[in-house]
């Protein structure tokens, strides 16, 4: 039977207990509703401009990839694969190819591309799987980032602070220092790369006009900086990816019944299964960090003197060994649309991920490399699963687990999966702005 995973270990001991749990119909106190006023308010003209920048490859070093390549409308704000193929690749999702010749990729993106749903909600305080960009202080305009003292002033939100970093990553968007002046500038000092990107944008006449119209402080192209660029992208993400009209929301707001299986899953989720211990609040996340033992593969994010392809998660940011292998609790809204799952996309289906969270030791033992959605990259394939076959690394990951193995019941997993599907917004695939047909730079749009 199920036991609570966080933070307790009580379990259902008799059918009467389950019947009592399923009889509770009132919304739990921690099942907060989402209201449009819960979101940061962005300027709509800036959001429309951000939509163009989001899809424009002008912001990449070699002008061959955009933000949207890994967060595409057709893929529900993600890319549909475990580890992305960044700068140098071509195409979308599982059909994306790794390039060839001198332009071919040298490594996969080390983590799964997270979806963008509801990131403009006022409660969001950290972004990235390891929380390395975080909001500090009582307001919404002060941030701690990897850029430290070079983090620019004037950012309108945590989303804007986050938008600064994919463009600076060699494997994601910048390319290698010997390939283009943008990446060379980033290698020298991060703000120098941002300055060159701003130069590129201001040199496009249509962008200059759009920025003048959208930002009061921009009187001519010379006033365009990385701050306005990031603020526009943030305005787009923060408005475009709002979603809170799921069957669960209708049940929460006016008592409209969910399908019976989803209702049973709801009771388990908020009751004896204990899922809501971490997946709580309006976005179904406590925003804390946990080590849940998802099998690791790919290039990892080694730092310091480490040569193994580890990904130590939160520890990379805090440098606290207690944070090893911990990753941020993901939001579950529209989760059924955003496979694969885990910080590296290890599990191809929602059911697989539920099973892992119920019993990580069993799920790890049954996991195979074939479960990862990795586009074929012949020169990387042999090294993709180095850690999976390393018994010492496996033991290390298991020793940090924050959840304990429990016996799984398939009928309960069926119900939980049904409930998670009931968190899909009814208009999730009908975004208000959508993909543009063209962008001001004239570069092709993915």
């Amino acid at each position: 039977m199920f036991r609570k995973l966080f933070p307790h270990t009580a379990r259902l001991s008799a059918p009467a207990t389950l019947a009592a749990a399923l009889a509770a119909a009132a919304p739990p106190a921690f099942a907060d509703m989402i209201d449009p006023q819960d979101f940061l308010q962005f300027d709509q003209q800036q959001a429309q401009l951000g939509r163009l920048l989001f899809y424009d490859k002008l912001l990449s070093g070699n002008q061959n990839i955009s933000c949207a390549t890994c967060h595409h409308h057709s893929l529900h704000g993600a890319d549909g694969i475990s580890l992305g193929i960044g700068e140098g690749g071509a195409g979308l999702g599982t059909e994306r190819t790794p390039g060839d010749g001198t332009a071919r990729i040298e490594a996969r993106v080390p983590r799964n591309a997270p979806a963008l749903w509801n990131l403009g909600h006022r409660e969001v305080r950290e972004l990235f799987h390891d929380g390395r960009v975080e909001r500090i202080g009582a307001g919404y305009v002060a941030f701690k980032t990897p850029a430290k003292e070079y983090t620019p002033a004037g950012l309108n939100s945590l989303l804007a602070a986050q938008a600064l970093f994919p463009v600076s990553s060699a494997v994601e968007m910048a390319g290698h220092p010997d390939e283009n002046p943008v990446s060379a500038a980033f290698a020298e000092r991060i703000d120098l790369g941002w300055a060159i990107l701003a130069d590129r944008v201001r040199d496009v006449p249509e962008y200059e006009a759009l920025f003048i119209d959208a930002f009061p402080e921009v009187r001519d192209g010379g006033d365009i900086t990385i701050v306005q660029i990031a603020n526009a992208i943030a305005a787009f993400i923060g408005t475009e990816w709002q979603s809170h009209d799921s069957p669960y929301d209708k049940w929460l707001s006016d008592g409209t019944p969910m399908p019976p299986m989803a209702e049973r899953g709801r009771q388990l989720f908020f009751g004896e299964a204990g899922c809501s211990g971490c997946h709580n609040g309006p976005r179904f996340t406590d925003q804390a960090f946990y080590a849940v033992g998802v099998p690791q593969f790919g290039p990892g994010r080694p730092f310091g003197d480490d040569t193994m392809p580890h990904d130590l998660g939160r520890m990379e940011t805090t440098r606290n060994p207690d944070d090893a292998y911990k990753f941020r609790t993901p939001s579950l809204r529209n989760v059924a649309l955003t496979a694969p799952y885990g910080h590296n996309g290890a599990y191809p289906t929602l059911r697989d991920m539920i099973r892992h969270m119920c019993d990580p030791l069993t799920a790890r033992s049954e996991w195979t490399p074939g479960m990862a959605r990795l586009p074929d990259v012949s020169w990387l394939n042999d090294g993709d699963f180095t850690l999976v076959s390393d018994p010492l690394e496996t033991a290390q990951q298991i020793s940090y687990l924050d959840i304990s193995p429990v016996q799984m019941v398939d009928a309960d997993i069926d119900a939980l999966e049904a409930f998670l599907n009931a968190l899909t917004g009814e208009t999730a695939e009908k975004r208000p702005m959508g993909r543009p047909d063209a962008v001001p730079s004239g570069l092709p749009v993915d």
Side-chain angles (χ1 to χ4, degrees):
M1 302 294 284
F2 268 104
R3 287 189 242 170
K4 293 182 182 178
L5 303 181
F6 298 114
H8 309 296
T9 56
R11 64 173 174 176
L12 301 175
S13 57
T17 306
L18 179 58
L22 294 179
F30 41 80
D32 302 327
M33 294 177 60
I34 289 185
D35 183 272
Q37 297 306 309
D38 295 334
F39 291 87
L40 298 173
Q41 301 302 301
F42 293 102
D43 181 272
Q44 287 304 303
Q45 198 167 11
Q46 293 177 15
Q48 290 287 352
L49 171 55
R51 167 179 175 255
L52 300 175
L53 292 165
F54 189 83
Y55 272 89
D56 203 328
K57 296 177 180 179
L58 187 68
L59 294 181
S60 64
N62 292 313
Q63 302 185 60
N64 58 9
I65 189 171
S66 70
C67 305
T69 305
C70 295
H71 301 280
H72 204 272
H73 275 88
S74 66
L75 296 166
H76 310 109
D79 65 359
I81 56 180
S82 297
L83 301 177
I85 290 176
E87 196 283 328
L92 292 173
T94 57
E95 303 303 314
R96 187 162 173 79
T97 57
D100 52 31
T102 58
R104 75 182 193 177
I105 68 168
E106 294 186 7
R108 301 183 193 273
V109 177
R111 291 180 183 155
N112 180 253
L116 306 176
W117 298 106
N118 297 320
L119 294 183
H121 195 280
R122 293 180 185 275
E123 76 158 13
V124 178
R125 60 176 184 259
E126 293 117 354
L127 290 175
F128 291 109
H129 289 291
D130 56 12
R132 64 185 181 273
V133 173
E134 58 185 291
R135 175 165 51 88
I136 56 177
Y140 294 90
V141 292
F143 314 101
K144 181 179 179 181
T145 82
K148 299 180 180 178
E149 69 270 20
Y150 296 111
T151 304
L155 299 171
N156 65 11
S157 63
L158 187 65
L159 277 170
Q162 179 274 334
L164 297 171
F165 295 98
V167 298
S168 71
S169 165
V171 70
E172 292 183 55
M173 292 182 68
H176 295 284
D178 60 352
E179 291 181 324
N180 63 77
V182 171
S183 190
F186 277 127
E188 183 177 351
R189 203 176 71 195
I190 193 166
D191 60 320
L192 300 179
W194 291 330
I196 294 182
L197 289 178
D199 287 340
R200 278 188 182 176
V201 170
R202 70 167 63 98
D203 286 342
V204 178
E206 185 178 347
Y207 271 134
E208 181 179 15
L210 290 170
F211 273 92
I212 291 172
D213 289 342
F215 289 92
E217 71 270 23
V218 176
R219 293 161 294 182
D220 57 45
D223 293 329
I224 300 171
T225 72
I226 195 63
V227 171
Q228 287 79 31
I229 293 169
N231 285 350
I233 292 173
F236 168 68
I237 296 173
T239 56
E240 179 74 349
W241 301 98
Q242 294 182 22
S243 179
H244 43 86
D245 61 351
S246 68
Y248 170 76
D249 290 298
K250 288 189 173 182
W251 172 82
L252 200 59
S253 63
D254 59 23
T256 301
M258 291 185 291
M261 184 68 79
E263 171 60 19
R264 181 169 180 268
R266 180 189 69 80
Q267 294 290 346
L268 286 169
F269 187 96
F270 288 105
E272 293 293 336
C275 309
S276 61
C278 293
H279 293 285
N280 54 51
R283 297 188 310 116
F284 286 83
T285 169
D286 63 359
Q287 302 189 76
F289 299 83
Y290 301 100
V292 300
V294 171
Q296 291 206 7
F297 54 89
R301 291 178 59 94
F303 61 92
D305 296 328
D306 196 0
T307 59
M308 292 288 286
H310 299 286
D311 189 339
L312 295 177
R314 183 65 172 163
M315 180 180 165
E316 182 183 343
T317 296
T318 66
R319 295 300 197 263
N320 182 349
D322 290 341
D323 289 333
Y325 304 109
K326 292 187 176 184
F327 297 91
R328 184 168 51 89
T329 304
S331 169
L332 297 182
R333 287 194 172 267
N334 291 332
V335 67
L337 302 178
T338 58
Y341 303 102
H343 72 274
N344 57 1
Y347 288 102
T349 70
L350 192 53
R351 186 177 185 82
D352 290 325
M353 192 68 220
I354 295 169
R355 289 175 63 86
H356 176 94
M357 293 303 295
C358 293
D359 187 351
L361 297 182
T362 297
R364 284 179 64 96
S365 70
E366 295 176 349
W367 188 87
T368 64
M371 295 174 73
R373 291 186 189 174
L374 293 179
D376 181 64
V377 183
S378 61
W379 55 93
L380 299 178
N381 291 344
D382 288 345
D384 278 334
F385 301 101
T386 300
L387 294 186
V388 176
S389 57
D390 186 328
L392 292 178
E393 175 63 20
T394 297
Q396 180 87 335
Q397 292 175 26
I398 290 173
S399 72
Y400 277 86
L401 277 178
D402 287 324
I403 53 178
S404 301
V406 297
Q407 184 179 358
M408 295 183 290
V409 177
D410 283 344
D412 291 342
I413 295 175
D414 292 340
L416 285 171
E417 185 177 11
F419 174 63
L420 294 183
N421 274 277
L423 300 181
T424 301
E426 294 183 357
T427 60
E429 300 193 54
K430 299 176 182 178
R431 297 296 82 214
M433 287 181 271
R435 169 189 176 276
D437 293 327
V439 291
S441 70
L443 292 168
V445 176
D446 282 335

mmCIF file with all atom_site columns, all heavy atoms in Angstrom, residues 188-203:
data_model
loop_
_atom_site.group_PDB
_atom_site.id
_atom_site.type_symbol
_atom_site.label_atom_id
_atom_site.label_alt_id
_atom_site.label_comp_id
_atom_site.label_asym_id
_atom_site.label_entity_id
_atom_site.label_seq_id
_atom_site.pdbx_PDB_ins_code
_atom_site.Cartn_x
_atom_site.Cartn_y
_atom_site.Cartn_z
_atom_site.occupancy
_atom_site.B_iso_or_equiv
_atom_site.pdbx_formal_charge
_atom_site.auth_seq_id
_atom_site.auth_comp_id
_atom_site.auth_asym_id
_atom_site.auth_atom_id
_atom_site.pdbx_PDB_model_num
ATOM 1   N N   . GLU A 1 188 ? 35.011 36.092 -21.912 1.00 0.00 ? 188 GLU A N   1
ATOM 2   C CA  . GLU A 1 188 ? 35.833 37.094 -21.235 1.00 0.00 ? 188 GLU A CA  1
ATOM 3   C C   . GLU A 1 188 ? 35.142 37.623 -19.981 1.00 0.00 ? 188 GLU A C   1
ATOM 4   O O   . GLU A 1 188 ? 35.730 37.678 -18.907 1.00 0.00 ? 188 GLU A O   1
ATOM 5   C CB  . GLU A 1 188 ? 36.133 38.242 -22.194 1.00 0.00 ? 188 GLU A CB  1
ATOM 6   C CG  . GLU A 1 188 ? 37.056 39.298 -21.596 1.00 0.00 ? 188 GLU A CG  1
ATOM 7   C CD  . GLU A 1 188 ? 37.400 40.399 -22.587 1.00 0.00 ? 188 GLU A CD  1
ATOM 8   O OE1 . GLU A 1 188 ? 37.072 40.255 -23.791 1.00 0.00 ? 188 GLU A OE1 1
ATOM 9   O OE2 . GLU A 1 188 ? 37.994 41.402 -22.147 1.00 0.00 ? 188 GLU A OE2 1
ATOM 10  N N   . ARG A 1 189 ? 33.869 38.031 -20.129 1.00 0.00 ? 189 ARG A N   1
ATOM 11  C CA  . ARG A 1 189 ? 33.087 38.519 -18.994 1.00 0.00 ? 189 ARG A CA  1
ATOM 12  C C   . ARG A 1 189 ? 31.635 38.574 -19.422 1.00 0.00 ? 189 ARG A C   1
ATOM 13  O O   . ARG A 1 189 ? 31.318 39.073 -20.499 1.00 0.00 ? 189 ARG A O   1
ATOM 14  C CB  . ARG A 1 189 ? 33.559 39.901 -18.550 1.00 0.00 ? 189 ARG A CB  1
ATOM 15  C CG  . ARG A 1 189 ? 33.208 40.234 -17.096 1.00 0.00 ? 189 ARG A CG  1
ATOM 16  C CD  . ARG A 1 189 ? 33.790 41.580 -16.698 1.00 0.00 ? 189 ARG A CD  1
ATOM 17  N NE  . ARG A 1 189 ? 33.108 42.683 -17.353 1.00 0.00 ? 189 ARG A NE  1
ATOM 18  C CZ  . ARG A 1 189 ? 33.595 43.931 -17.416 1.00 0.00 ? 189 ARG A CZ  1
ATOM 19  N NH1 . ARG A 1 189 ? 34.789 44.195 -16.907 1.00 0.00 ? 189 ARG A NH1 1
ATOM 20  N NH2 . ARG A 1 189 ? 32.902 44.880 -18.013 1.00 0.00 ? 189 ARG A NH2 1
ATOM 21  N N   . ILE A 1 190 ? 30.748 38.100 -18.575 1.00 0.00 ? 190 ILE A N   1
ATOM 22  C CA  . ILE A 1 190 ? 29.386 37.846 -19.014 1.00 0.00 ? 190 ILE A CA  1
ATOM 23  C C   . ILE A 1 190 ? 28.683 39.090 -19.538 1.00 0.00 ? 190 ILE A C   1
ATOM 24  O O   . ILE A 1 190 ? 27.956 39.037 -20.533 1.00 0.00 ? 190 ILE A O   1
ATOM 25  C CB  . ILE A 1 190 ? 28.575 37.170 -17.888 1.00 0.00 ? 190 ILE A CB  1
ATOM 26  C CG1 . ILE A 1 190 ? 27.262 36.607 -18.448 1.00 0.00 ? 190 ILE A CG1 1
ATOM 27  C CG2 . ILE A 1 190 ? 28.356 38.109 -16.707 1.00 0.00 ? 190 ILE A CG2 1
ATOM 28  C CD1 . ILE A 1 190 ? 26.569 35.637 -17.516 1.00 0.00 ? 190 ILE A CD1 1
ATOM 29  N N   . ASP A 1 191 ? 28.900 40.234 -18.916 1.00 0.00 ? 191 ASP A N   1
ATOM 30  C CA  . ASP A 1 191 ? 28.191 41.428 -19.362 1.00 0.00 ? 191 ASP A CA  1
ATOM 31  C C   . ASP A 1 191 ? 28.657 41.917 -20.728 1.00 0.00 ? 191 ASP A C   1
ATOM 32  O O   . ASP A 1 191 ? 27.913 42.600 -21.434 1.00 0.00 ? 191 ASP A O   1
ATOM 33  C CB  . ASP A 1 191 ? 28.311 42.548 -18.333 1.00 0.00 ? 191 ASP A CB  1
ATOM 34  C CG  . ASP A 1 191 ? 29.754 42.960 -18.084 1.00 0.00 ? 191 ASP A CG  1
ATOM 35  O OD1 . ASP A 1 191 ? 30.630 42.074 -18.021 1.00 0.00 ? 191 ASP A OD1 1
ATOM 36  O OD2 . ASP A 1 191 ? 30.011 44.175 -17.922 1.00 0.00 ? 191 ASP A OD2 1
ATOM 37  N N   . LEU A 1 192 ? 29.866 41.544 -21.113 1.00 0.00 ? 192 LEU A N   1
ATOM 38  C CA  . LEU A 1 192 ? 30.358 41.931 -22.434 1.00 0.00 ? 192 LEU A CA  1
ATOM 39  C C   . LEU A 1 192 ? 29.584 41.203 -23.535 1.00 0.00 ? 192 LEU A C   1
ATOM 40  O O   . LEU A 1 192 ? 29.309 41.768 -24.596 1.00 0.00 ? 192 LEU A O   1
ATOM 41  C CB  . LEU A 1 192 ? 31.853 41.641 -22.547 1.00 0.00 ? 192 LEU A CB  1
ATOM 42  C CG  . LEU A 1 192 ? 32.749 42.363 -21.532 1.00 0.00 ? 192 LEU A CG  1
ATOM 43  C CD1 . LEU A 1 192 ? 34.209 41.980 -21.740 1.00 0.00 ? 192 LEU A CD1 1
ATOM 44  C CD2 . LEU A 1 192 ? 32.562 43.875 -21.628 1.00 0.00 ? 192 LEU A CD2 1
ATOM 45  N N   . GLY A 1 193 ? 29.223 39.954 -23.282 1.00 0.00 ? 193 GLY A N   1
ATOM 46  C CA  . GLY A 1 193 ? 28.401 39.225 -24.242 1.00 0.00 ? 193 GLY A CA  1
ATOM 47  C C   . GLY A 1 193 ? 27.019 39.811 -24.372 1.00 0.00 ? 193 GLY A C   1
ATOM 48  O O   . GLY A 1 193 ? 26.478 39.954 -25.475 1.00 0.00 ? 193 GLY A O   1
ATOM 49  N N   . TRP A 1 194 ? 26.423 40.194 -23.239 1.00 0.00 ? 194 TRP A N   1
ATOM 50  C CA  . TRP A 1 194 ? 25.099 40.814 -23.293 1.00 0.00 ? 194 TRP A CA  1
ATOM 51  C C   . TRP A 1 194 ? 25.128 42.113 -24.094 1.00 0.00 ? 194 TRP A C   1
ATOM 52  O O   . TRP A 1 194 ? 24.202 42.425 -24.834 1.00 0.00 ? 194 TRP A O   1
ATOM 53  C CB  . TRP A 1 194 ? 24.604 41.094 -21.871 1.00 0.00 ? 194 TRP A CB  1
ATOM 54  C CG  . TRP A 1 194 ? 24.279 39.863 -21.084 1.00 0.00 ? 194 TRP A CG  1
ATOM 55  C CD1 . TRP A 1 194 ? 23.826 38.667 -21.569 1.00 0.00 ? 194 TRP A CD1 1
ATOM 56  C CD2 . TRP A 1 194 ? 24.369 39.722 -19.665 1.00 0.00 ? 194 TRP A CD2 1
ATOM 57  N NE1 . TRP A 1 194 ? 23.635 37.782 -20.539 1.00 0.00 ? 194 TRP A NE1 1
ATOM 58  C CE2 . TRP A 1 194 ? 23.955 38.398 -19.358 1.00 0.00 ? 194 TRP A CE2 1
ATOM 59  C CE3 . TRP A 1 194 ? 24.756 40.565 -18.631 1.00 0.00 ? 194 TRP A CE3 1
ATOM 60  C CZ2 . TRP A 1 194 ? 23.916 37.912 -18.053 1.00 0.00 ? 194 TRP A CZ2 1
ATOM 61  C CZ3 . TRP A 1 194 ? 24.726 40.095 -17.327 1.00 0.00 ? 194 TRP A CZ3 1
ATOM 62  C CH2 . TRP A 1 194 ? 24.310 38.783 -17.041 1.00 0.00 ? 194 TRP A CH2 1
ATOM 63  N N   . ALA A 1 195 ? 26.220 42.866 -23.963 1.00 0.00 ? 195 ALA A N   1
ATOM 64  C CA  . ALA A 1 195 ? 26.333 44.135 -24.686 1.00 0.00 ? 195 ALA A CA  1
ATOM 65  C C   . ALA A 1 195 ? 26.357 43.915 -26.191 1.00 0.00 ? 195 ALA A C   1
ATOM 66  O O   . ALA A 1 195 ? 25.749 44.676 -26.956 1.00 0.00 ? 195 ALA A O   1
ATOM 67  C CB  . ALA A 1 195 ? 27.585 44.879 -24.230 1.00 0.00 ? 195 ALA A CB  1
ATOM 68  N N   . ILE A 1 196 ? 27.039 42.868 -26.641 1.00 0.00 ? 196 ILE A N   1
ATOM 69  C CA  . ILE A 1 196 ? 27.093 42.600 -28.080 1.00 0.00 ? 196 ILE A CA  1
ATOM 70  C C   . ILE A 1 196 ? 25.725 42.167 -28.599 1.00 0.00 ? 196 ILE A C   1
ATOM 71  O O   . ILE A 1 196 ? 25.303 42.558 -29.698 1.00 0.00 ? 196 ILE A O   1
ATOM 72  C CB  . ILE A 1 196 ? 28.170 41.544 -28.402 1.00 0.00 ? 196 ILE A CB  1
ATOM 73  C CG1 . ILE A 1 196 ? 29.557 42.112 -28.080 1.00 0.00 ? 196 ILE A CG1 1
ATOM 74  C CG2 . ILE A 1 196 ? 28.102 41.131 -29.863 1.00 0.00 ? 196 ILE A CG2 1
ATOM 75  C CD1 . ILE A 1 196 ? 30.688 41.167 -28.394 1.00 0.00 ? 196 ILE A CD1 1
ATOM 76  N N   . LEU A 1 197 ? 24.997 41.363 -27.824 1.00 0.00 ? 197 LEU A N   1
ATOM 77  C CA  . LEU A 1 197 ? 23.646 40.984 -28.233 1.00 0.00 ? 197 LEU A CA  1
ATOM 78  C C   . LEU A 1 197 ? 22.752 42.212 -28.355 1.00 0.00 ? 197 LEU A C   1
ATOM 79  O O   . LEU A 1 197 ? 21.956 42.322 -29.299 1.00 0.00 ? 197 LEU A O   1
ATOM 80  C CB  . LEU A 1 197 ? 23.048 39.987 -27.242 1.00 0.00 ? 197 LEU A CB  1
ATOM 81  C CG  . LEU A 1 197 ? 23.638 38.577 -27.245 1.00 0.00 ? 197 LEU A CG  1
ATOM 82  C CD1 . LEU A 1 197 ? 22.966 37.717 -26.179 1.00 0.00 ? 197 LEU A CD1 1
ATOM 83  C CD2 . LEU A 1 197 ? 23.503 37.910 -28.609 1.00 0.00 ? 197 LEU A CD2 1
ATOM 84  N N   . ALA A 1 198 ? 22.880 43.132 -27.421 1.00 0.00 ? 198 ALA A N   1
ATOM 85  C CA  . ALA A 1 198 ? 22.096 44.364 -27.500 1.00 0.00 ? 198 ALA A CA  1
ATOM 86  C C   . ALA A 1 198 ? 22.460 45.164 -28.747 1.00 0.00 ? 198 ALA A C   1
ATOM 87  O O   . ALA A 1 198 ? 21.578 45.750 -29.402 1.00 0.00 ? 198 ALA A O   1
ATOM 88  C CB  . ALA A 1 198 ? 22.312 45.208 -26.246 1.00 0.00 ? 198 ALA A CB  1
ATOM 89  N N   . ASP A 1 199 ? 23.751 45.174 -29.096 1.00 0.00 ? 199 ASP A N   1
ATOM 90  C CA  . ASP A 1 199 ? 24.180 45.852 -30.327 1.00 0.00 ? 199 ASP A CA  1
ATOM 91  C C   . ASP A 1 199 ? 23.488 45.247 -31.539 1.00 0.00 ? 199 ASP A C   1
ATOM 92  O O   . ASP A 1 199 ? 23.033 45.966 -32.440 1.00 0.00 ? 199 ASP A O   1
ATOM 93  C CB  . ASP A 1 199 ? 25.692 45.749 -30.502 1.00 0.00 ? 199 ASP A CB  1
ATOM 94  C CG  . ASP A 1 199 ? 26.468 46.644 -29.549 1.00 0.00 ? 199 ASP A CG  1
ATOM 95  O OD1 . ASP A 1 199 ? 25.869 47.602 -29.021 1.00 0.00 ? 199 ASP A OD1 1
ATOM 96  O OD2 . ASP A 1 199 ? 27.661 46.370 -29.332 1.00 0.00 ? 199 ASP A OD2 1
ATOM 97  N N   . ARG A 1 200 ? 23.416 43.935 -31.568 1.00 0.00 ? 200 ARG A N   1
ATOM 98  C CA  . ARG A 1 200 ? 22.770 43.250 -32.697 1.00 0.00 ? 200 ARG A CA  1
ATOM 99  C C   . ARG A 1 200 ? 21.311 43.673 -32.819 1.00 0.00 ? 200 ARG A C   1
ATOM 100 O O   . ARG A 1 200 ? 20.813 43.943 -33.906 1.00 0.00 ? 200 ARG A O   1
ATOM 101 C CB  . ARG A 1 200 ? 22.826 41.732 -32.502 1.00 0.00 ? 200 ARG A CB  1
ATOM 102 C CG  . ARG A 1 200 ? 24.109 41.059 -32.909 1.00 0.00 ? 200 ARG A CG  1
ATOM 103 C CD  . ARG A 1 200 ? 23.871 39.561 -32.833 1.00 0.00 ? 200 ARG A CD  1
ATOM 104 N NE  . ARG A 1 200 ? 25.056 38.793 -33.153 1.00 0.00 ? 200 ARG A NE  1
ATOM 105 C CZ  . ARG A 1 200 ? 25.115 37.466 -33.088 1.00 0.00 ? 200 ARG A CZ  1
ATOM 106 N NH1 . ARG A 1 200 ? 24.034 36.797 -32.679 1.00 0.00 ? 200 ARG A NH1 1
ATOM 107 N NH2 . ARG A 1 200 ? 26.211 36.834 -33.407 1.00 0.00 ? 200 ARG A NH2 1
ATOM 108 N N   . VAL A 1 201 ? 20.621 43.680 -31.692 1.00 0.00 ? 201 VAL A N   1
ATOM 109 C CA  . VAL A 1 201 ? 19.199 44.001 -31.710 1.00 0.00 ? 201 VAL A CA  1
ATOM 110 C C   . VAL A 1 201 ? 18.978 45.442 -32.156 1.00 0.00 ? 201 VAL A C   1
ATOM 111 O O   . VAL A 1 201 ? 18.113 45.724 -33.000 1.00 0.00 ? 201 VAL A O   1
ATOM 112 C CB  . VAL A 1 201 ? 18.567 43.746 -30.322 1.00 0.00 ? 201 VAL A CB  1
ATOM 113 C CG1 . VAL A 1 201 ? 17.145 44.299 -30.260 1.00 0.00 ? 201 VAL A CG1 1
ATOM 114 C CG2 . VAL A 1 201 ? 18.565 42.242 -30.009 1.00 0.00 ? 201 VAL A CG2 1
ATOM 115 N N   . ARG A 1 202 ? 19.744 46.365 -31.610 1.00 0.00 ? 202 ARG A N   1
ATOM 116 C CA  . ARG A 1 202 ? 19.525 47.780 -31.950 1.00 0.00 ? 202 ARG A CA  1
ATOM 117 C C   . ARG A 1 202 ? 19.878 48.084 -33.403 1.00 0.00 ? 202 ARG A C   1
ATOM 118 O O   . ARG A 1 202 ? 19.429 49.097 -33.945 1.00 0.00 ? 202 ARG A O   1
ATOM 119 C CB  . ARG A 1 202 ? 20.304 48.686 -30.993 1.00 0.00 ? 202 ARG A CB  1
ATOM 120 C CG  . ARG A 1 202 ? 21.793 48.664 -31.141 1.00 0.00 ? 202 ARG A CG  1
ATOM 121 C CD  . ARG A 1 202 ? 22.424 49.829 -30.355 1.00 0.00 ? 202 ARG A CD  1
ATOM 122 N NE  . ARG A 1 202 ? 22.180 49.727 -28.928 1.00 0.00 ? 202 ARG A NE  1
ATOM 123 C CZ  . ARG A 1 202 ? 23.068 49.216 -28.056 1.00 0.00 ? 202 ARG A CZ  1
ATOM 124 N NH1 . ARG A 1 202 ? 24.233 48.744 -28.498 1.00 0.00 ? 202 ARG A NH1 1
ATOM 125 N NH2 . ARG A 1 202 ? 22.797 49.173 -26.783 1.00 0.00 ? 202 ARG A NH2 1
ATOM 126 N N   . ASP A 1 203 ? 20.658 47.190 -34.045 1.00 0.00 ? 203 ASP A N   1
ATOM 127 C CA  . ASP A 1 203 ? 21.014 47.400 -35.449 1.00 0.00 ? 203 ASP A CA  1
ATOM 128 C C   . ASP A 1 203 ? 19.911 46.977 -36.413 1.00 0.00 ? 203 ASP A C   1
ATOM 129 O O   . ASP A 1 203 ? 20.036 47.168 -37.625 1.00 0.00 ? 203 ASP A O   1
ATOM 130 C CB  . ASP A 1 203 ? 22.304 46.642 -35.790 1.00 0.00 ? 203 ASP A CB  1
ATOM 131 C CG  . ASP A 1 203 ? 23.547 47.310 -35.214 1.00 0.00 ? 203 ASP A CG  1
ATOM 132 O OD1 . ASP A 1 203 ? 23.458 48.502 -34.853 1.00 0.00 ? 203 ASP A OD1 1
ATOM 133 O OD2 . ASP A 1 203 ? 24.594 46.641 -35.116 1.00 0.00 ? 203 ASP A OD2 1
#
